[in-house]
Amino acid sequence: MFGWLKRKFTGSTEGSAAEKHGDIMLGERDCHSHIIPGIDDGSRTMAESLKMLALLHAEGVRTLAATSHMFPSRFDNQPDDLQRGFEALERARDDAGIELTLQLGAEHYLDEDFVARIKAGCIVPFGPESYVLFETTTGAHAPSNLLDAVHEIRDRGMVPLVAHIERYQYLRDEEGHEMVEDLRSAGAQFQVNRTVGKANRPGLGGRGRMIAWLQARDWIDEVGSDLHRPTREGRPYAGDELLLAQRSG
Ligand SMILES: [Fe+2]
């Protein structure tokens, strides 16, 4: 019934390696990025942000959600901070002539106070769906307020979007899969990160098996790059000479 959805996000270039492996690919909309410079572990400068925009544009992205971290004690951003950075990014995009629509969102961190922050309106929904993108701890134990947060977002007419759902160990076993079903029933939607090389290739490793399990149910709603750097992989720190020096030192 939802075969179109699977086709929408999987490799479609005829005969390509991506098609052979059924890789997860970006569509015209990328729902997860760290593109606003200087406010989290994503882009460090506006020049870097513009390179990231050009890279995503070349991959076919035409609408990009800027979802900087709102992670208390680690990246203590408030909605106003994101708004200021976003407006500067829009001006730089216009000056550079990159034809890509930007939407302001955030990647919220679900800690013990997340429900209180939702009630206080300290969240940044984006897009026509009013998606509230959030991540959680990735360990073996589910946060106790996970379903409460989903209900709280739904009750306010917004759509909870679980960030890179393939990452969470606590959702991977049988009990975890039941929790995914509960999240789904409560109205949560799921975002996965695109395949880069073998990372996040459906069926491969813990993350890939989770992605294949979701695909079998047509439960992948959105794909994101989660781009932090102007490289295809886009991970933070990988090319950071200072951190590499610290690690080897
Ligand atoms: Fe992210």
Side-chain angles (χ1 to χ4, degrees), residues 141-143 146-147 165 170-171 173-186 190 213 219:
H141 301 289
L146 180 54
L147 271 172
I165 191 170
Y170 64 83
L171 293 180
D173 59 12
E174 202 174 320
E175 199 180 327
H177 288 176
E178 285 174 17
M179 187 170 292
V180 177
E181 287 163 7
D182 290 345
L183 289 167
R184 197 78 193 167
S185 300
F190 304 146
W213 186 85
W219 281 356

Side-chain angles (χ1 to χ4, degrees), residues 36-37 39 46 80-90:
I36 297 175
I39 58 172
M46 192 60 83
D80 283 355
D81 303 317
L82 270 53
Q83 182 67 40
R84 272 192 299 276
F86 183 75
E87 287 170 8
L89 178 66
E90 284 196 306

Side-chain angles (χ1 to χ4, degrees), residues 110-186:
L110 186 150
D111 59 9
E112 63 274 18
D113 297 324
F114 186 44
V115 172
R117 292 201 299 280
I118 298 166
K119 287 179 177 170
C122 192
I123 49 173
V124 185
F126 70 91
E129 302 85 353
S130 290
Y131 277 141
V132 178
L133 182 74
F134 69 90
E135 64 175 336
T136 79
T137 174
T138 56
H141 301 289
S144 58
N145 56 348
L146 180 54
L147 271 172
D148 287 347
V150 166
H151 287 303
E152 204 61 51
I153 293 166
R154 269 290 180 194
D155 287 352
R156 283 169 167 67
M158 300 175 288
V159 177
L161 182 62
V162 182
H164 36 59
I165 191 170
E166 73 278 8
R167 278 197 193 168
Y168 309 113
Q169 288 180 40
Y170 64 83
L171 293 180
R172 290 180 186 166
D173 59 12
E174 202 174 320
E175 199 180 327
H177 288 176
E178 285 174 17
M179 187 170 292
V180 177
E181 287 163 7
D182 290 345
L183 289 167
R184 197 78 193 167
S185 300

Side-chain angles (χ1 to χ4, degrees), residues 32 34 69 107 164 226 228:
H32 188 159
H34 298 267
H69 287 289
E107 182 176 15
H164 36 59
D226 200 3
H228 287 68

Side-chain angles (χ1 to χ4, degrees), residues 14-234:
E14 205 171 324
S16 71
E19 183 188 38
K20 183 177 153 206
H21 296 292
D23 286 353
I24 301 293
M25 300 173 76
L26 289 170
E28 285 194 7
R29 184 185 190 190
D30 177 353
C31 274
H32 188 159
S33 73
H34 298 267
I35 191 88
I36 297 175
I39 58 172
D40 64 2
D41 57 347
S43 170
R44 293 163 293 188
T45 63
M46 192 60 83
E48 206 164 60
S49 298
L50 292 175
K51 282 186 192 168
M52 290 162 70
L53 286 181
L55 190 148
L56 291 171
H57 189 275
E59 275 193 51
V61 174
R62 295 296 177 265
T63 302
L64 175 66
T67 54
S68 305
H69 287 289
M70 283 178 70
F71 191 141
S73 80
R74 194 163 164 206
F75 304 109
D76 236 336
N77 290 312
Q78 299 300 312
D80 283 355
D81 303 317
L82 270 53
Q83 182 67 40
R84 272 192 299 276
F86 183 75
E87 287 170 8
L89 178 66
E90 284 196 306
R91 285 193 296 272
R93 173 210 55 190
D94 290 345
D95 291 346
I98 300 171
E99 295 192 359
L100 200 150
T101 302
L102 293 165
Q103 298 173 333
L104 177 61
E107 182 176 15
H108 308 84
Y109 185 71
L110 186 150
D111 59 9
E112 63 274 18
D113 297 324
F114 186 44
V115 172
R117 292 201 299 280
I118 298 166
K119 287 179 177 170
C122 192
I123 49 173
V124 185
F126 70 91
E129 302 85 353
S130 290
Y131 277 141
V132 178
L133 182 74
F134 69 90
E135 64 175 336
T136 79
T137 174
T138 56
H141 301 289
S144 58
N145 56 348
L146 180 54
L147 271 172
D148 287 347
V150 166
H151 287 303
E152 204 61 51
I153 293 166
R154 269 290 180 194
D155 287 352
R156 283 169 167 67
M158 300 175 288
V159 177
L161 182 62
V162 182
H164 36 59
I165 191 170
E166 73 278 8
R167 278 197 193 168
Y168 309 113
Q169 288 180 40
Y170 64 83
L171 293 180
R172 290 180 186 166
D173 59 12
E174 202 174 320
E175 199 180 327
H177 288 176
E178 285 174 17
M179 187 170 292
V180 177
E181 287 163 7
D182 290 345
L183 289 167
R184 197 78 193 167
S185 300
Q189 304 235 313
F190 304 146
Q191 179 256 314
V192 303
N193 283 357
R194 78 193 194 298
T195 307
V196 180
K198 289 183 179 174
N200 282 18
R201 177 160 285 163
L204 205 63
R207 294 182 185 190
R209 281 194 294 276
M210 184 69 183
I211 287 172
W213 186 85
L214 293 163
Q215 277 182 319
R217 288 155 183 77
D218 286 311
W219 281 356
I220 296 177
D221 301 294
E222 297 293 344
V223 173
S225 64
D226 200 3
L227 208 68
H228 287 68
R229 293 283 184 275
T231 62
R232 178 155 162 71
E233 191 210 19

